[in-house]
């Protein structure tokens, strides 16, 4: 099945680790290195988080969009990013280009499925 990589819709509202938490862990008790520690946190998040990160998962709550080229015969759409807390909406496009929203009663999220 051909699908595009997931697309970030809404970034996390907070980072997984704050500068204050990192400073406590590192036992840094001054403010001289706050900018450096903040950049190190950002670099670690970029390396680990989201679809492009080496973990292939979201570290904190965020919204993603996934596109598929067709509805498979198995009727299962493998989501490429975990963990999935909820599905906001599924849209299907007909051959004529019209879109319709799939009734939430017509699908379910299978927990534990992997990419």
């Amino acid at each position: 099945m051909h699908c595009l990589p997931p697309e970030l819709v809404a970034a996390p509202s907070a980072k997984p680790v704050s500068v204050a938490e990192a400073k406590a862990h590192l036992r840094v008790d001054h403010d001289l290195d706050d900018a450096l520690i903040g950049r190190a946190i950002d670099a670690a998040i970029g390396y680990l988080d989201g679809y492009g990160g080496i973990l292939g998962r979201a570290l904190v709550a965020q919204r993603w969009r996934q596109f598929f080229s067709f509805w498979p015969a198995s009727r299962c759409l493998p989501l490429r990013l975990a963990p999935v807390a909820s599905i906001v909406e599924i849209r299907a496009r007909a051959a004529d280009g019209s879109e319709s929203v799939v009734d939430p009663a017509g699908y379910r999220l299978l927990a534990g499925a992997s990419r």
Side-chain angles (χ1 to χ4, degrees):
M1 168 189 314
H2 175 69
C3 64
L4 297 171
E7 174 184 298
L8 183 62
V9 174
S13 58
K15 295 180 181 181
V17 177
S18 69
V19 170
E21 291 167 327
K23 285 174 61 174
H25 177 75
L26 297 168
R27 297 188 178 118
V28 173
D29 60 359
H30 57 79
D31 296 335
L32 300 174
D33 294 322
D34 284 8
L36 177 64
I37 292 169
R39 287 192 304 273
I41 290 169
D42 291 343
I45 293 169
Y47 184 68
L48 299 169
D49 187 47
Y51 181 74
I54 64 165
L55 298 178
R57 60 187 299 116
L59 297 175
V60 292
Q62 45 199 283
R63 289 184 62 184
W64 290 79
R65 180 180 297 134
Q66 179 70 60
F67 294 96
F68 296 90
S69 59
F70 61 92
W71 200 275
S74 69
R75 300 183 53 135
C76 291
L77 298 171
L79 301 176
R80 302 286 182 209
L81 192 63
V84 177
S86 66
I87 296 173
V88 175
E89 179 179 75
I90 295 178
R91 290 178 179 239
R93 182 173 292 151
D96 65 3
S98 63
E99 280 190 2
S100 61
V101 176
V102 177
D103 181 1
Y107 62 85
R108 63 187 168 154
L109 177 62
L110 300 176
S114 63
R115 59 185 196 146

